[in-house]
Amino acid sequence: METPQEVERMLQLHARGLSQRTIAHELGCCPRTVRRYLRQGGWQPYGQPRRSRRLDEQIAWLREQFEQHRGNAEVLRQELLRQKGIDVSQRTVERAVAAWRRELRIRQLATVRYETPPGRQLQADFGQCAVSIGGERRRVHLCVLTLGYSRRLVVRPYGHERQANWLQAMEEAFRHWGGIPEQVLVDNARALVRRHDPASGELVFHPTFLAFAEHWGFTPRACRPYRPRTKGKDERGVRYVKGSGLAGHTFRSWGAMEAHLAWWMREVADVRRHGTTGERPLERFQRDEASALRPLCGKPSFLAEREQKRVVAKDCCIQLEGNWYSAPQQLIGQRITAQVRHQTVRLLHRGRIVAEHPLQSANHRCRQVIRSHWQGLLPAEQLQQARASLQPAIPDRCQATPAVGPPATRAVRTSSLARSLSDYAAVLTEVEA
């Protein structure tokens, strides 16, 4: 096989009128080689002729189905059998779409960095990590909210990823920054998005989230399904919180973890030099973004008044935002309504108020118990022993460590009310006897 340069020399000599034998003698090759390249009109690589394949006639249809099913070869094989009656192996389909799959991977990896002007966008997302709290490994759900321009972030830990946690974290972020961005970009979480079809582009937000957005005056947006890089600033922020804010730390209580995160945001995250912007988030925020945010104008909390349905558990309590509130024991197993009004939790059954409690901060693991709700569950002597074993004793309304509400009606944290299982077992043994 001759090189492309030698074949080009053959063509030049032939154009000057030299015979094939003379050209072969000058280049040191066979005259038949010269004749073949002159017949081809230039250099061509060796190669076997491409064999016809079974799916050659279905290329256009395969391409359409390939884009629709995001390159899933097994689904394409099933569709070939169902729609075309062609029974082939999955490997045959993979060979047919191999070039398209390479193109798809390149498109997925290709990213254009999108920067937003000051005050334009807030990105919000949840992340999970295991943290040692009180000597026990617990799963913590971190809500991380990042301003798109300054990269200043707010972190709030929760025990769940419920809708109330999303909304509460956003409200606390608005008050922390002293303003509201124009847009809030979120993930396609069920608590916020009812339906998001990537093919048709249909997007349906949860009605409560839409009411929340209207209350605060921002435009809700959802990132494209299966493409978390749409909110890449916050995705990176979640990893940053896990790797810098919580990695390697242990905490005595949930409150200690919240206090540590507040210190970390203030002393570490806000003053670090960001790798993309090259500036400290706090300086960039104060210089350009603080004035671009929409003012709060003293607007009340959207969560100040809300209602939720709950079932009274066997301990006469309902759980609301990570805290427990007691109800009359006659309602055990019944469905009641929990109303939050002006920092007060009202429990209603069939439209009648059956209990009122001061509202506690979410996920503080507080237990509010009215003494009469537990009255009669145990004989007097066993009840007194139970109170003694679960010190401090339960008064008419349990007193509390510092939390939301007036000092006279604050609730006891679970850590001070709850004891080990052995303590409970001892009490229950005496009752059964």
Side-chain angles (χ1 to χ4, degrees):
M1 182 177 180
E2 307 300 321
T3 64
Q5 293 78 12
E6 291 173 339
V7 174
E8 183 66 25
R9 178 64 175 165
M10 292 179 189
L11 297 177
Q12 293 175 357
L13 294 176
H14 179 70
R16 289 164 51 185
L18 274 67
S19 66
Q20 297 178 6
R21 188 176 295 278
T22 304
I23 296 174
H25 178 74
E26 183 171 340
L27 296 178
C29 62
C30 178
R32 287 177 296 181
T33 301
V34 177
R35 188 181 308 113
R36 175 165 55 86
Y37 280 113
L38 293 178
R39 188 183 305 116
Q40 292 178 177
W43 182 86
Q44 292 182 5
Y46 277 120
Q48 296 180 352
R50 182 181 179 276
R51 296 185 302 171
S52 62
R53 297 179 179 178
R54 191 173 180 184
L55 300 179
D56 285 348
E57 297 180 358
Q58 307 295 333
I59 292 299
W61 182 86
L62 274 176
R63 182 69 183 191
E64 179 183 352
Q65 295 294 318
F66 177 86
E67 296 294 339
Q68 179 180 346
H69 298 293
R70 302 179 60 82
N72 192 317
E74 173 59 21
V75 175
L76 291 177
R77 185 193 66 79
Q78 298 172 14
E79 292 299 314
L80 275 169
L81 180 60
R82 185 174 66 88
Q83 298 186 31
K84 301 291 185 178
I86 301 176
D87 188 8
V88 294
S89 67
Q90 180 179 343
R91 180 58 184 154
T92 300
V93 179
E94 290 176 350
R95 284 195 295 266
V97 302
W100 302 339
R101 296 182 77 171
R102 286 192 293 270
E103 295 176 2
L104 181 61
R105 284 195 295 269
I106 292 174
R107 291 204 307 266
Q108 291 174 343
L109 292 174
T111 302
V112 177
R113 188 178 296 277
Y114 178 68
E115 295 293 341
T116 54
R120 172 66 61 83
Q121 190 179 87
L122 162 66
Q123 297 184 4
D125 194 14
F126 262 93
Q128 300 180 17
C129 64
V131 182
S132 178
I133 302 177
E136 179 184 356
R137 296 289 288 180
R138 295 181 56 183
R139 181 165 296 280
V140 178
H141 299 260
L142 300 169
C143 187
V144 182
L145 305 103
T146 307
L147 287 173
Y149 177 78
S150 64
R151 306 309 203 272
R152 197 179 182 198
L153 54 83
V154 167
V155 186
R156 291 292 183 268
Y158 295 101
H160 307 277
E161 296 184 17
R162 296 171 179 166
Q163 185 184 78
N165 303 139
W166 280 94
L167 305 186
Q168 182 185 21
M170 291 183 195
E171 285 195 346
E172 293 182 3
F174 296 159
R175 301 193 186 282
H176 179 75
W177 295 321
I180 309 165
E182 297 179 15
Q183 302 174 354
V184 174
L185 180 63
V186 298
D187 203 349
N188 291 276
R190 291 184 180 180
L192 305 179
V193 178
R194 286 282 182 85
R195 183 169 61 259
H196 195 175
D197 188 351
S200 64
E202 182 185 11
L203 175 60
V204 179
F205 286 107
H206 195 285
T208 304
F209 183 47
L210 286 177
F212 179 82
E214 183 178 0
H215 175 82
W216 286 106
F218 65 82
T219 302
R221 295 187 59 191
C223 69
R224 182 179 176 182
Y226 312 109
R227 190 177 175 85
R229 284 173 296 157
T230 306
K231 51 179 178 53
K233 301 180 182 69
D234 199 58
E235 290 285 339
R236 183 65 186 92
V238 172
R239 295 198 300 271
Y240 176 58
V241 174
K242 292 179 183 179
S244 175
L246 292 178
H249 291 280
T250 59
F251 305 98
R252 296 189 305 273
S253 64
W254 189 278
M257 178 181 62
E258 292 179 321
H260 168 77
L261 285 175
W263 169 87
W264 177 83
M265 286 190 300
R266 183 179 63 254
E267 302 295 334
V268 179
D270 278 353
V271 298
R272 77 191 191 281
R273 189 167 297 279
H274 196 276
T276 301
T277 64
E279 299 182 75
R280 303 181 190 277
L282 182 59
E283 296 177 357
R284 192 174 172 90
F285 172 82
Q286 292 175 340
R287 185 187 68 238
D288 301 324
E289 196 156 31
S291 59
L293 296 174
R294 298 177 181 178
L296 297 174
C297 299
K299 187 171 294 188
S301 170
F302 176 83
L303 301 175
E305 297 188 2
R306 56 195 183 277
E307 292 185 1
Q308 296 185 20
K309 300 293 184 180
R310 290 292 186 271
V311 176
V312 181
K314 295 180 180 179
D315 61 355
C316 304
C317 294
I318 65 157
Q319 188 176 25
L320 185 66
E321 298 178 358
N323 302 308
W324 292 267
Y325 302 91
S326 67
Q329 56 186 274
Q330 295 82 2
L331 299 179
I332 291 178
Q334 298 291 317
R335 192 174 186 85
I336 65 175
T337 301
Q339 287 185 348
V340 179
R341 297 287 188 275
H342 306 294
Q343 299 299 315
T344 300
V345 178
R346 293 179 180 178
L347 305 183
L348 294 87
H349 182 251
R350 296 180 179 178
R352 183 174 60 89
I353 299 177
V354 295
E356 290 190 3
H357 301 273
L359 179 66
Q360 303 299 316
S361 298
N363 291 303
H364 275 208
R365 319 298 290 180
C366 297
R367 187 179 294 272
Q368 289 253 75
V369 178
I370 298 176
R371 183 175 184 177
S372 61
H373 293 168
W374 280 10
Q375 193 68 33
L377 294 180
L378 293 174
E381 295 182 0
Q382 279 97 358
L383 182 61
Q384 189 65 29
Q385 292 177 357
R387 291 194 185 116
S389 66
L390 301 177
Q391 293 180 359
I394 302 175
D396 289 341
R397 187 182 299 277
C398 298
Q399 302 300 312
T401 54
V404 178
T409 59
R410 291 174 183 165
V412 176
R413 291 184 183 273
T414 304
S415 59
S416 63
L417 180 61
R419 291 294 182 265
S420 65
L421 294 178
S422 60
D423 295 335
Y424 285 100
V427 176
L428 292 177
T429 302
E430 295 177 1
V431 174
E432 293 175 355

